[in-house]
Amino acid sequence: MRLTQFWERMNQQFGEGYADSVAKDYVLAELGGRTVEQALADGEPAKRVWQAVVATFDVPSRLR
């Protein structure tokens, strides 16, 4: 998954304004207690980060 695809899905799931907030503020256990932004900055693949988002939030099947 490309980073652009990741952000498109984040924006579709949360809305453009809230997606940034989720990425900065929400700590995900599936990412080892990191936020989305921290995991991506640490070099975690976008697909792995998206899988963690899907596991944490109620993401519709069309976005999984």
Side-chain angles (χ1 to χ4, degrees):
M1 167 183 279
R2 293 181 182 174
L3 198 52
T4 55
Q5 292 171 310
F6 171 83
W7 285 111
E8 285 173 7
R9 289 183 184 186
M10 285 288 288
N11 289 332
Q12 289 174 353
Q13 171 64 21
F14 299 107
E16 289 188 32
Y18 190 56
D20 288 337
S21 179
V22 170
K24 291 176 187 174
D25 300 328
Y26 204 93
V27 175
L28 303 178
E30 291 80 6
L31 296 175
R34 297 177 290 175
T35 65
V36 165
E37 281 194 347
Q38 289 169 332
L40 291 171
D42 289 346
E44 199 71 49
K47 183 175 181 177
R48 165 81 177 93
V49 176
W50 180 247
Q51 289 170 339
V53 170
V54 168
T56 304
F57 296 96
D58 186 23
V59 176
S61 59
R62 66 179 176 77
L63 293 177
R64 293 179 184 197

